[in-house]
Amino acid sequence: MSFSSFPQASPSHDLTPFGWDDAWAAEFTPYTGQGLVPGRVVRVDRGQCDVMTADGIVRADTAFVTPHDPLRVICTGDWAAVETAGNPRYVKAYLPRRTAFVRSTSSQRSEGQILAANVDHAIIAVSLAVELDLGRIERFLALAWESGAQPLVVLTKADLVPDPVTLGHLVQDVEATAPGVQVLTVSSVTGEGTDVLAAVVSGGTSVLLGISGAGKSTLANALLGEEVMEVQEAREVDGKGRHTTTTRNLLALPGGGVLIDTPGLRGVGLWDAEVGVGQVFSEIEEYAEHCRFHDCAHETEPGCAVLAAVDSGELAERRLESYRKLLRENQRIVAKTDARLRSEIRRDWRLKSAEGRANYTAKRGGRV
């Protein structure tokens, strides 16, 4: 997206369309006497960022806010205190984040990567041009809930599923995967659902998430009412797309609210998202409250209400397997950064190993 395509503020307009409010103004008070001005970060690249101020876009260096912790670097959606006098200009600080969307990186170092800050709605775009991957949707939802934002699943390219019965079944599958989350079907070709989505995102900041080929840029253009984001066709063989969007961009929507468009995500790794996982699988956690043992692992324990729900058909076995998988993955990630938890996990492993050996010995009549 070109630099000139960002919406411009002017001296006669405040930053309210970009999410500025009295609470942010209060947070900015310490910087007022330092000759700094507030602005919202609309794009970050190569150690610099574009910041929307009351006087328009300012290109600023981020050298003063580039710590070693990757979760504390400046990112799209941050509210910044900018030094506009002189050249180059600098972001001197950013205001405390209300929410932050974080995933683990694809590296073996298990570092967290912040994708967007101060987000109210997390729009998870899922293409209906390919088979639904419910497990991936659950991953996105876990990260969205953990971020503090309200998730919303948008099934794009609905025009490719002309049979209403088939479309209804697909929606039901996603709704069962996303308890407590609104699920919308949208077609940028026919316009179906875009007015409802525009109404949902008109208040606050929304981040648009999904894999390449999910139709995020097309959806962004539909919400913006113009061709701002470049669009490329997905491959027919597998429905996957190329990375049309290469940076995270914050855009003001004509109907109100702002949208952060993101590049397609190849990997959706969890990052300390235990609460988010619990929210995604809230029905399992409700069943777990009725288990005989408070620390039930829902595997072979007697009196397990979760396993009973699976046996009765009330709970899909796929959901339980996905729940276990995401909890194990999240535990591994946290353990790599939390020494105490690592120790607890190892102690638990030793206890289970000892129990297993004791059970094996008992089955053999005491013979080793």
Side-chain angles (χ1 to χ4, degrees):
M1 187 174 66
S2 65
F3 178 85
S4 61
S5 57
F6 282 115
Q8 297 293 307
S10 70
S12 60
H13 294 83
D14 61 22
L15 290 168
T16 303
F18 293 89
W20 186 256
D21 57 28
D22 291 341
W24 287 123
E27 291 282 2
F28 192 79
T29 301
Y31 304 102
T32 304
Q34 301 178 27
L36 305 177
V37 300
R40 191 154 198 198
V41 177
V42 297
R43 183 171 65 181
V44 180
D45 63 280
R46 301 173 186 175
Q48 293 187 313
C49 61
D50 297 323
V51 185
M52 177 59 72
T53 70
D55 294 320
I57 289 286
V58 169
R59 185 71 169 170
D61 196 293
T62 64
F64 286 96
V65 284
T66 308
H68 295 296
D69 184 352
L71 297 182
R72 297 178 62 195
V73 299
I74 197 82
C75 78
T76 304
D78 274 324
W79 282 101
V82 187
E83 182 182 63
T84 57
N87 190 20
R89 298 161 175 173
Y90 290 98
V91 172
K92 303 304 290 282
Y94 64 82
L95 304 186
R97 294 162 177 159
R98 294 178 182 175
T99 63
F101 194 96
V102 180
R103 68 161 180 172
S104 66
T105 63
S106 57
S107 71
Q108 297 301 312
R109 294 177 294 178
S110 299
E111 293 180 340
Q113 178 189 22
I114 182 166
L115 299 180
N118 303 313
V119 172
D120 301 295
H121 306 284
I123 306 171
I124 302 166
V126 180
S127 173
L128 289 175
V130 295
E131 185 177 354
L132 288 176
D133 187 337
L134 298 178
R136 181 183 288 123
I137 295 174
E138 287 163 345
R139 284 175 172 273
F140 272 114
L141 287 170
L143 292 175
W145 281 121
E146 191 69 33
S147 75
Q150 171 66 46
L152 169 69
V153 178
V154 175
L155 302 178
T156 66
K157 308 181 184 181
D159 54 287
L160 299 180
V161 188
D163 179 22
V165 175
T166 301
L167 183 60
H169 287 319
L170 292 172
V171 172
Q172 288 176 2
D173 287 344
V174 177
E175 288 177 338
T177 301
V181 175
Q182 185 176 7
V183 178
L184 294 176
T185 56
V186 171
S187 170
S188 299
V189 174
T190 66
E192 174 192 346
T194 55
D195 55 339
V196 178
L197 179 59
V200 171
V201 302
S202 62
T205 299
S206 302
V207 61
L208 190 53
L209 304 155
I211 65 172
S212 297
K216 298 187 304 301
S217 295
T218 303
L219 192 59
N221 287 335
L223 292 172
L224 290 163
E226 57 180 319
E227 298 295 317
V228 173
M229 308 305 296
E230 182 184 355
V231 176
Q232 294 180 349
E233 292 294 330
R235 298 194 303 244
E236 291 186 6
V237 64
D238 57 8
K240 294 182 179 179
R242 289 168 287 178
H243 289 295
T244 304
T245 303
T246 57
T247 57
R248 290 177 284 278
N249 306 294
L250 185 145
L251 305 155
L253 298 173
V258 293
L259 179 71
I260 299 175
D261 191 22
T262 65
L265 300 175
R266 291 189 179 92
V268 194
L270 300 185
W271 179 258
D272 196 6
E274 182 177 358
V275 173
V277 172
Q279 187 74 36
V280 175
F281 299 93
S282 57
E283 80 277 29
I284 295 180
E285 304 232 324
E286 288 175 5
Y287 283 125
E289 293 178 0
H290 302 286
C291 289
R292 181 183 301 178
F293 305 109
H294 70 87
D295 57 349
C296 183
H298 321 307
E299 293 178 351
T300 59
E301 295 86 349
C304 176
V306 175
L307 294 178
V310 172
D311 291 339
S312 68
E314 296 177 47
L315 176 65
E317 188 172 0
R318 187 207 69 80
R319 285 281 285 174
L320 179 56
E321 288 299 320
S322 185
Y323 175 67
R324 290 168 174 164
K325 180 179 180 180
L326 292 184
L327 281 182
R328 287 195 300 266
E329 177 183 326
N330 189 72
Q331 193 176 48
R332 287 196 300 269
I333 289 292
V334 175
K336 290 180 179 179
T337 57
D338 189 322
R340 186 177 67 176
L341 181 57
R342 280 200 305 270
S343 176
E344 291 176 355
I345 291 173
R346 286 170 181 159
R347 184 172 63 251
D348 186 52
W349 285 345
R350 288 195 294 270
L351 289 173
K352 287 185 176 180
S353 178
E355 290 173 0
R357 288 195 300 271
N359 291 336
Y360 178 73
T361 300
K363 287 180 181 179
R364 291 175 56 87
R367 301 189 306 273
V368 178

